[in-house]
Amino acid sequence: MLVVATAGHVDHGKSTLVRALTGMEPDRWAEERRRGMTIDLGFAWTQLPSGRTVAFVDVPGHERFVPNMLAGVGPVPAAVVVVAADEGWMPQSAEHLAALDALGVAYGLLVVTRADLADPRPALQRARAELAATSLAAVEAVAVSAVTGAGLPELRAALDRLAARLPAPTPEAPVRLWVDRSFTVRGSGTVVTGTLGAGRLRVGDELALAGTGEPVRVRGLHRLGVACDEVGPVARVAVNLRALARDRVARGDALLTPGRFRGTDLVDVRLVGDPVADLPATLTLHVGAAAVPVRVRPLGGDTARLRLGRPLPLLVGDRALLRDPGRHRVAGGVTVLDVLPPALRRRGAGAARAAVLATLDGRPEMAGELRRRGLVRAADLLRAGVPVTAAPVVGDWLADPEHWRRLGDRLADVVARHAREHPLEPGVPVEVLRQALDLPDRALVEALVRPPLRLVAGRVAAAGSPPLPEPVARALALVGADYAAHPFRAPDADRLTAVGLGAREIGAAVRAGALLRLTGNVLLLPGAPRQAVRVLAELPQPFTLSAARQALDTTRRVAVPLLELLDRQGMTRRLPDDARVVVGGFLVSG
Ligand SMILES: Nc1nc2c(ncn2[C@@H]2O[C@H](COP(=O)(O)OP(=O)(O)O)[C@@H](O)[C@H]2O)c(=O)[nH]1
Ligand SMILES: [Mg+2]
């Protein structure tokens, strides 16, 4: 389906032309018919000689209704610029053309109407000259009279050629249906209409309402007034929404494929038109069928940051226009460069951002996004209209390869420095690393841990390096000699101090599994209990504490807690008379 919007000054014959071509009445309101003037958007359609369908979005030409005109033109890929032969180029001819040019509309026709009232050539010539500098420079021109019918067959043929030239739409794209009308149908409920430029709609689909994010379900679909189960692009559609109050949706809202768009109220844009520095601080942004007030912050000669009065589901590469409603002026065309722009907090951040924006052209590209952002969630890129073609580093996180490598290096540096500064701690807690590297997610820290680093119990430590800090390892080597001679004698406090094992060092050694703490500072090597069971198994069973103490060549200070440990571990069993036996399995297997 070819969907075209009309454009041109009031009373130049737009609605009459649509009527003549379609036999349908585009002026829907009684007031419009009484006043003979289009106020709001009108819709009419017909078949072209080729069998194709053309649908018109007829717009008002009066300067008071330019916002309505823009809501009609915004989502439509092609336009028919209408100029009356007898009046020629007029103010809203210029303003409408400026709007089409700002939106980058490149497909259309120039139609000189009312050719029965005056020679169409001067008007045609002037209009051609005006179009020459715009996105519509190359369009075909036709002169017509809706009264005599002259030129209408040529116009139909030209519409057919236009339809054939338009780029093929993408049915697999997500849906963003800008609502240009909403109304209630008795017995059906709320219906919205729009131009489906891409994507596919089906009865039963769940969509999201852009304004509130609330889910809505498609109860029924009409394509040019005919009910159907499914509609592909490009088409004029009416969507009946299940259980949605009429006041929940209005022109400028949008129906969205869930999860594929994100409402944003902050965008960085390139402007073609007035120099950014000359713009008033407040303008109206028109995009799709929406119009929102925006505050403009210049960032460079032709780039700016726009703060929107309410969030809109915008994508990188979207075309929009800025208009000064007070001065009836299209200030410029907008290309959206970034829908998730970084905050500008530091001094000089604005200038730095301007330099970045100067390199952007609005073509969504993943590698560039990753380079600029370092890290970004895949869902955020997708919802900015950027195709995601790389695998996440962890979860939903995408990383620029170079940035990721540098983060890995920094992680190793922080772990090494921490090990030097806190030699008795077993590595760096993940959360500390997350903060040190200023990462948004702990999962990223864990994903950055690569050999020789390792993740143990929520901390990142260097593996391969000695399991214990140097001073502790040295002290253990000294007591190790003591244990070799008397494995069940615990060094006393003086000995521990002499080799340099203070409370912190002992704690580190115990955490690292290098020492076994029986109680307080009663320490043995970790293998001591098993070794003790082997010795005790040689004794006549049951055996007394005293017999055990002698066999183990140790003191009560060690023997008491050691036997209690063996009891707890089920290797020995204490009898009612306080004697013990080694538990059967340990007797046999040793
Ligand atoms: N003679 C003549 N009058 C026309 C022609 N087209 C439109 N008109 C008249 O011009 C006036 C404005 O037309 P309309 O379609 O409402 O203009 P719009 O404001 O651009 O939609 C109406 O009175 C029409 O009857 C035409 O081709 N020939
Ligand atoms: Mg009209």
Side-chain angles (χ1 to χ4, degrees), residues 140-463:
E140 281 190 57
V142 188
V144 302
S145 164
V147 169
T148 68
L152 291 182
E154 288 80 358
L155 176 54
R156 287 196 177 92
L159 284 165
D160 246 334
R161 286 193 293 276
L162 173 63
R165 271 200 305 275
L166 276 167
T170 46
E172 64 283 357
V175 168
R176 179 177 53 178
L177 183 74
W178 292 103
V179 172
D180 51 31
R181 264 188 311 165
S182 69
F183 48 89
T184 310
V185 173
R186 217 176 233 289
S188 293
T190 300
V191 174
V192 302
T193 68
T195 301
L196 183 68
R200 197 176 281 285
L201 285 171
R202 290 178 201 80
V203 171
D205 276 355
E206 185 180 289
L207 300 167
L209 212 52
T212 59
E214 71 190 286
V216 288
R217 197 169 287 282
V218 177
R219 178 178 175 184
L221 279 173
H222 277 77
R223 181 183 183 274
L224 299 182
V226 179
C228 48
D229 291 334
E230 185 174 332
V231 186
V234 175
R236 284 294 308 169
V237 292
V239 187
N240 180 200
L241 296 169
R242 192 184 297 278
L244 181 76
R246 158 83 172 77
D247 60 2
R248 307 286 294 160
V249 58
R251 171 173 294 167
D253 207 333
L255 295 180
L256 308 172
T257 297
R260 296 301 299 271
F261 296 87
R262 181 177 161 278
T264 177
D265 61 0
L266 195 68
V267 291
D268 286 351
V269 301
R270 167 157 297 112
L271 238 128
V272 175
D274 296 355
V276 166
D278 298 348
L279 293 176
T282 312
L283 287 167
T284 303
L285 180 76
H286 294 264
V287 57
V292 295
V294 294
R295 295 195 63 79
V296 182
R297 171 173 176 183
L299 287 173
D302 66 347
T303 49
R305 175 157 294 189
L306 306 181
R307 168 73 67 184
L308 280 56
R310 66 185 161 85
L312 290 179
L314 299 182
L315 300 175
V316 172
D318 271 342
R319 298 292 297 255
L321 71 81
L322 282 175
R323 182 166 179 269
D324 187 343
R327 292 193 300 160
H328 266 278
R329 231 182 98 62
V330 172
V334 159
T335 301
V336 174
L337 302 177
D338 193 343
V339 295
L340 204 64
L344 303 176
R345 291 203 198 85
R346 286 199 209 94
R347 252 181 110 75
R353 184 62 182 165
V356 170
L357 294 180
T359 68
L360 303 184
D361 61 4
R363 250 179 307 197
E365 194 232 339
M366 188 194 68
E369 295 284 343
L370 293 186
R371 222 162 27 245
R372 285 190 299 283
R373 298 176 194 277
L375 282 167
V376 65
R377 285 183 186 279
D380 282 337
L381 282 194
L382 211 60
R383 292 187 299 175
V386 180
V388 171
T389 53
V393 289
V394 63
D396 189 32
W397 290 103
L398 299 170
D400 173 58
E402 176 60 24
H403 182 65
W404 190 245
R405 202 185 51 70
R406 277 198 308 269
L407 280 174
D409 292 349
R410 280 178 55 204
L411 180 90
D413 287 349
V414 175
V415 171
R417 195 176 60 231
H418 190 275
R420 280 195 304 278
E421 289 168 6
H422 308 277
L424 300 184
E425 273 185 36
V428 195
V430 168
E431 176 58 21
V432 171
L433 287 167
R434 188 194 68 73
Q435 288 175 25
L437 300 183
D438 196 20
L439 292 174
D441 189 337
R442 289 162 73 146
L444 289 165
V445 175
E446 296 175 6
L448 280 168
V449 175
R450 255 173 252 117
L453 298 184
R454 66 199 168 120
L455 183 67
V456 182
R459 289 169 180 261
V460 180

Side-chain angles (χ1 to χ4, degrees), residues 6 8-19 27 36-38 58-62 82 113-117 144-148:
T6 59
H9 199 74
V10 65
D11 274 349
H12 277 203
K14 296 181 293 299
S15 301
T16 304
L17 181 67
V18 169
R19 214 176 285 125
D27 285 338
M37 184 172 79
T38 310
D58 186 36
V59 309
H62 196 281
V82 170
T113 51
R114 306 187 6 151
D116 55 298
L117 297 178
V144 302
S145 164
V147 169
T148 68

